[in-house]
Amino acid sequence: MVQQLFFYYLAFASVLSAVLTIGLRNPVHCGLALLSLLFHIAGFFILLNAEFIAAVQIIIYAGAILVLYLFVLMLLNLKTEERYLHRRYALWLFFGLLAAGQAFWLLLKSPFAGKPGDVTPEKVTQFGHTQTIGIVIFNEYFLPFEIVGVFLLGAIIGAIVLAKDRPPADQRETSR
Amino acid sequence: MIPLSSYLVVSSVLFATGLIGVLIRRNFIIILMAVEIMLNAANLNLVAFSSYLDSMAGQIVALFIIAVAAGEAAVGLAIIIVVFRGKIATNVDQINLLKW
């Protein structure tokens, strides 16, 4: 009963904050609505017995990614514009609703079944979620883990190279 | 007990919201935020399936998705800063040249 109440609250609040994220005019308000959405998704993860993912969601998404967004918003000092939707937004809204309708249709006709694994909730509560996920990630998924590390290195280098301030053209020869 | 289909409904509503946001908004940064909404919907779906099927695979993939989202945000915002510094535009429908 408590779980269901919690679920309905989270579902309502996360959908509301997602709609506010794409609907508000001021970009900073959109960022704050996105923050609320990320916290509610973390609540869903706790409800699904995935505490480690919930902590990572809050630390990385809300702590790092969203701060990056707000930092860039304040750096660029974007003004709230009169016309904040796309010029032909009605057409794109139609296509978006069409795609959403197809997703719902696929959801309704799918059987949602699969082969159950061996990590039962009892095992997770016995060892703790962090230990369970750590054992799996460093045994079965070690190569993808390393590849993600290299990917993040590439992303850091790419971001620095893109955003680095180039000297003006007349000073470029002397600084080289 | 909450059925798995409730989680799937919430995640597909969130995904549809993010998709519509990408399609109808003009501001760069809001479009990237809508992409984050879609990634979160996918994460919710993966974690729900992994929890209901007693398997860790979905949660590991959700962790990788969070890492990829961090990289995407860093590179996307760097591109936005470059475009904004060139005084070109702040909206996606004003960027219609590949080279200037």
Side-chain angles (χ1 to χ4, degrees), chain A residues 100-114:
Chain A
Q102 196 202 5
F104 277 118
W105 186 67
L106 287 175
L107 185 68
L108 284 178
K109 69 172 216 166
S110 103
F112 328 120

Side-chain angles (χ1 to χ4, degrees), chain A residues 23 45 81 127 130 173:
Chain A
F45 292 162
E81 293 198 30
F127 293 114
T130 312
E173 290 304 317

